[in-house]
Amino acid sequence: MMHRLALAYLKFGFVLVIASVHATDEIALPPASENYYSPASAYLLTLTMIGAPEDWAANGSEAVFKKIQNGQSEQLWSQQLPHSYRPKLVIVSDQGYLALFDQWINVLGPYAIMVFSPSGDRLKSLSFDDIAKSVEASRANVVKKAQIGSWMESLPRIAASSNIVEVAVAGKVLSIDLETGSLSQN
Amino acid sequence: MKKVLSAVCFVICIIPLQSQALPLLAIDIQPIQVCNNSGGDCANSSMELFEGIGDKIWSQADIDLNFLSWLAVDDSSILNSANHGSYTANANPSIVNIWFIEDLASCGGTGSTATLFGCGGGNKISVTDLVFSFNGGIGRLDTISHEIGHVLGLGHNDFGAGGGNNLMTSGGSRTVPSSINDINPDGAGLSVLTDEQIEEARSSDVLYRVVPAPATLWLVFIGLTLLRLRGNLTSKQLLVKQI
């Protein structure tokens, strides 16, 4: 009898916990710092959030880019990024090019793709609308088919020793040439 | 006398049914601005409710958001880092209190390590100032509507939620509109409500049915009577219209 009561109590408590926890609107905080290597670990990008966690949304993040050779790292550039919190995804090529995807927050904003040269120059900045146009899809269709964030249907990929990144968008494959920042559709 | 009764019946029974697919329902929401003990440092200082956004989102379910006049509460103890449980529901169960505070510790259970924008449930909502600074100051336009969805019985993964374009999908996976022009059925088609969500939300006891204002009814009645007196509308036509 006591066991039954205890079980019923636990079940009731579980239901209460589920009911009380699910009614939120929140986004997880990004890691305070995160490293991203190129496929052969020739380059390293470190993203570090600026300030205390409660200020991360306003302060954003700093990117530090390093070249790695014979186990030694040499800083090539660093700069503060304009993304809210920080970029969501990062690709680093073995030639020192860098592509940043989306903002940490899921909005259809101006920083869908940002491409940097090995010296830290911003080669290209593409908005969500630019992406939709490049795949010739309506904005609603791009969002509807997105699996990662607001517009990507797949994770962006780069082949070893390549400067071409591919990502699926609205049923098509978008290629990004990191040397020029140009987009093409496969 | 019969003709007059027929006209009244026509106005009351037929017109509301013809005006829209579903009867219009409404929810009364009481906004409460929390300030410190001396009445300063108030949350939601611009008293923003994103009412146009909310009305467009909930018009998908033929639900009207009726915000009551603002109340102010001076209490430093609930302005910062309190739990959603610290905020009271309205004594009237058909009114939903929406508390605007600076920040929240959690919606219940253990403290949150995430960026917390709002909580909803138990006929009350709490909304933090992070909603208004979100996205470079544009604001997290759909949080209030999302929490109203919780109050109306919708969860993050039920009744068809879960897609990035759905209003009730959890905060980390939902695409948040930056403009009213991207809310379904326009633009990027965000903040969608599925048929299942609409059916569930409309079954909530918090909602009430909106009846046309008496003044409107009288105007229509007078118009029909005048037509009848001028002979433009015969009793037969009136009956046909009723049928």
Side-chain angles (χ1 to χ4, degrees), chain A residues 111-132:
Chain A
Y111 308 124
I113 300 177
M114 202 176 272
V115 180
F116 290 84
S117 73
S119 57
D121 295 325
R122 200 183 295 181
L123 297 175
K124 197 85 169 183
S125 189
L126 298 159
S127 68
F128 168 80
D129 288 356
D130 294 330
I131 305 291

Side-chain angles (χ1 to χ4, degrees), chain A residues 26-155:
Chain A
E26 63 182 11
I27 53 174
L29 289 173
S33 184
E34 196 164 16
N35 290 330
Y36 296 91
Y37 290 90
S38 64
S41 296
Y43 290 88
L44 163 68
L45 176 81
T46 304
L47 288 181
T48 305
M49 301 307 299
I50 300 170
E54 57 269 28
D55 300 321
W56 287 357
N59 291 350
S61 61
E62 186 189 35
V64 177
F65 200 67
K66 294 175 181 171
K67 183 175 186 175
I68 302 171
Q69 211 164 21
N70 303 322
Q72 303 290 313
S73 66
E74 174 198 356
Q75 183 173 320
L76 299 180
W77 56 266
S78 71
Q79 58 185 278
Q80 191 170 343
L81 298 174
H83 304 70
S84 185
Y85 289 87
R86 50 160 270 187
K88 190 182 278 274
L89 299 170
V90 175
I91 291 270
V92 183
S93 84
D94 278 328
Q95 284 74 43
Y97 290 92
L98 173 67
L100 308 177
F101 296 85
D102 260 353
Q103 303 186 78
W104 191 257
I105 59 174
N106 285 328
V107 294
L108 308 178
Y111 308 124
I113 300 177
M114 202 176 272
V115 180
F116 290 84
S117 73
S119 57
D121 295 325
R122 200 183 295 181
L123 297 175
K124 197 85 169 183
S125 189
L126 298 159
S127 68
F128 168 80
D129 288 356
D130 294 330
I131 305 291
K133 274 180 202 158
S134 66
V135 293
E136 297 163 333
S138 71
R139 302 167 82 243
N141 199 32
V142 171
V143 175
K144 204 171 184 178
K145 292 194 171 174
Q147 298 291 319
I148 296 152
S150 302
W151 57 272
M152 286 175 271
E153 221 177 333
S154 70
L155 284 169

Side-chain angles (χ1 to χ4, degrees), chain B residues 3-160:
Chain B
K3 288 172 187 172
V4 172
L5 284 174
S6 299
V8 170
C9 180
F10 169 72
V11 169
I12 293 173
C13 307
I14 308 297
I15 288 178
L17 291 176
Q18 288 177 333
S19 61
Q20 57 200 35
L22 292 169
L24 183 63
L25 302 179
I27 179 171
D28 284 341
I29 303 165
Q30 174 65 69
I32 304 170
Q33 184 185 44
V34 180
C35 305
N36 65 19
N37 287 342
S38 51
D41 199 19
C42 300
N44 191 2
S45 56
S46 57
M47 299 173 104
E48 177 62 74
L49 294 168
F50 300 127
E51 194 168 354
I53 302 280
D55 279 336
K56 184 168 181 184
I57 291 173
W58 282 102
S59 70
Q60 296 174 78
D62 288 299
I63 293 173
D64 181 51
L65 308 184
N66 181 37
F67 287 97
L68 307 177
S69 299
W70 280 85
L71 287 179
V73 171
D74 298 339
D75 186 346
S76 299
S77 71
I78 56 169
L79 182 58
N80 287 297
S81 303
N83 192 297
H84 181 60
S86 307
Y87 305 100
T88 54
N90 200 293
N92 181 343
S94 63
I95 296 176
V96 176
N97 279 351
I98 177 165
W99 294 82
F100 290 96
I101 66 249
E102 285 187 349
D103 61 53
L104 269 167
S106 79
C107 290
T110 56
S112 174
T113 55
T115 301
L116 199 47
F117 299 101
C119 311
N123 273 23
K124 61 181 180 178
I125 291 167
S126 48
V127 172
T128 73
D129 270 353
L130 294 169
V131 161
F132 307 104
S133 58
F134 183 80
N135 193 13
I138 291 172
R140 196 166 170 89
L141 304 180
D142 63 355
T143 291
I144 292 174
S145 291
H146 176 91
E147 297 307 341
I148 288 170
H150 285 313
V151 168
L152 297 178
L154 307 180
H156 290 159
N157 296 301
D158 49 19
F159 307 109

